[in-house]
Amino acid sequence: MLARMGVSLSILASGSRGNSALVQSSSTRILVDAGISCKETFKRLKDTGDDPRSLSAIVITHEHADHVQGLRVLARKLNIPVYMTGATHRAWARTVRDAIGELPEVPRLEYFCSGHKFQVGDIEVMPFTIPHDAADPVGFTFRAEGIRIAIATDLGYMPPSVCDQLRGCDLLVLESNHDLEMLRLGAYPWSVKQRVMSRVGHLSNAALAQFFCNDYDGNASYIVLAHLSEHNNHPEVARGEAEKALGLRRTLLNNRVLLAAQERAVQPIRL
Ligand SMILES: [Zn+2]
Ligand SMILES: [Zn+2]
């Protein structure tokens, strides 16, 4: 493991088939969600130059499979603290019990409450409530060494309370799930389309663009577009819409827009 200075973020996977990211300071490494298998998590950590054995903790946003499907094995294998809300833990444990006949064991389980910050090593973690159809879903901000990172995916819309959390960040990871036209015309059953578009579904490119135009403070050096739909979006469509919205605010030309990917890790963004 190479010694690394400063704060960085890697996206190991992003999308409806699995989500996981790594936030790290000089001394602390937090895995955000465990939505790909343990084996694949280890592989992608190696791809980004990180040692899985050096992880400090895992924090979980919500219990949907694309955020937790590797959690049971990862928690056992790494024996590091796993942070989630009580409601998320209960919902996840029930799903695992129904699938494998027994409750999952988490050797070092820690509960947090949305709106109450907690500390992992030298990283301050602030969970905040997001509108999504899970038991107790959250986004996070992370603060270390004077740097602030926010991750907010899986949200039906951007309420003012979420916009507040996204102020003053150096890096934003935000959902740009679908293009509305592609979703409307696409092959999903109507019930699924309605769920995705609902206030507790997923954020469209247009809704994110609206955030950039109306509520974004322009502070971030990097904006990562995440949780893109593979059927109802295209990376260049999402990027185009985000850059157009940012471009309308001429002071924001320094914001770099990057894309997270489902099939491969994005190399660490250093701040
Ligand atoms: Zn998701
Ligand atoms: Zn979800």
Side-chain angles (χ1 to χ4, degrees):
M1 174 78 201
L2 290 169
R4 223 180 233 163
M5 299 303 288
V7 173
S8 70
L9 170 115
S10 318
I11 308 259
L12 303 180
S14 182
S16 59
R17 287 187 291 113
N19 296 273
S20 191
L22 178 69
V23 174
Q24 55 182 318
S25 68
S26 302
S27 64
T28 305
R29 292 170 187 84
I30 301 177
L31 193 72
V32 185
D33 282 338
I36 49 177
S37 70
C38 178
K39 191 176 158 201
E40 191 63 22
T41 304
F42 279 29
K43 181 183 165 291
R44 295 196 190 189
L45 283 168
K46 289 202 180 96
D47 290 347
T48 57
D50 295 296
D51 179 359
R53 302 281 161 189
S54 73
L55 291 179
S56 316
I58 302 172
V59 300
I60 297 295
T61 58
H62 65 298
E63 75 279 15
H64 287 164
D66 58 320
H67 297 260
V68 294
Q69 56 201 353
L71 179 59
R72 193 172 62 88
V73 177
L74 265 170
R76 239 187 6 215
K77 200 163 269 187
L78 294 173
N79 194 27
I80 54 176
V82 174
Y83 292 81
M84 53 182 133
T85 75
T88 296
H89 177 239
R90 284 190 294 279
W92 171 64
R94 269 196 307 269
T95 311
V96 173
R97 185 197 58 203
D98 292 349
I100 66 166
E102 59 183 74
L103 289 167
E105 252 181 73
V106 177
R108 295 168 67 187
L109 178 65
E110 303 273 351
Y111 285 148
F112 65 76
C113 291
S114 178
H116 296 267
K117 57 190 168 201
F118 57 95
Q119 197 77 27
V120 178
D122 68 346
I123 302 181
E124 181 192 281
V125 185
M126 176 69 179
F128 56 90
T129 296
I130 53 171
H132 190 54
D133 53 0
D136 189 13
V138 299
F140 292 109
T141 63
F142 302 90
R143 189 199 295 270
E145 300 172 36
I147 298 289
R148 191 167 141 95
I149 295 173
I151 299 181
T153 68
D154 299 71
L155 64 174
Y157 70 106
M158 279 274 194
S161 58
V162 171
C163 294
D164 284 348
Q165 295 295 329
L166 303 181
R167 283 189 229 292
C169 289
D170 302 281
L171 191 162
L172 293 172
V173 180
L174 298 176
E175 175 160 47
S176 194
N177 181 262
H178 56 277
D179 174 80
L180 279 168
E181 275 311 289
M182 286 175 79
L183 179 65
R184 273 194 201 112
L185 301 172
Y188 278 13
W190 178 240
S191 58
V192 178
K193 291 183 185 184
Q194 271 190 314
R195 187 238 151 197
V196 171
M197 281 191 276
S198 78
R199 300 273 279 180
V200 289
H202 290 277
L203 203 69
S204 68
N205 299 344
L208 182 61
Q210 209 170 21
F211 163 75
F212 288 139
C213 288
N214 300 330
D215 297 299
Y216 173 47
D217 66 358
N219 195 77
S221 309
Y222 296 94
I223 294 163
V224 183
L225 307 181
H227 217 301
L228 269 67
S229 166
E230 291 175 293
H231 303 288
N232 304 309
N233 209 348
H234 187 281
E236 291 316 315
V237 172
R239 185 207 294 273
E241 193 145 355
E243 285 183 339
K244 191 173 144 206
L246 291 165
L248 291 172
R249 296 179 53 186
R250 270 182 293 169
T251 49
L252 303 188
L253 291 174
N254 288 330
N255 289 226
R256 280 197 60 194
V257 177
L258 306 172
L259 287 157
Q262 182 74 81
E263 295 296 345
R264 57 178 175 78
V266 173
Q267 287 305 305
I269 302 163
R270 295 175 208 288
L271 296 152

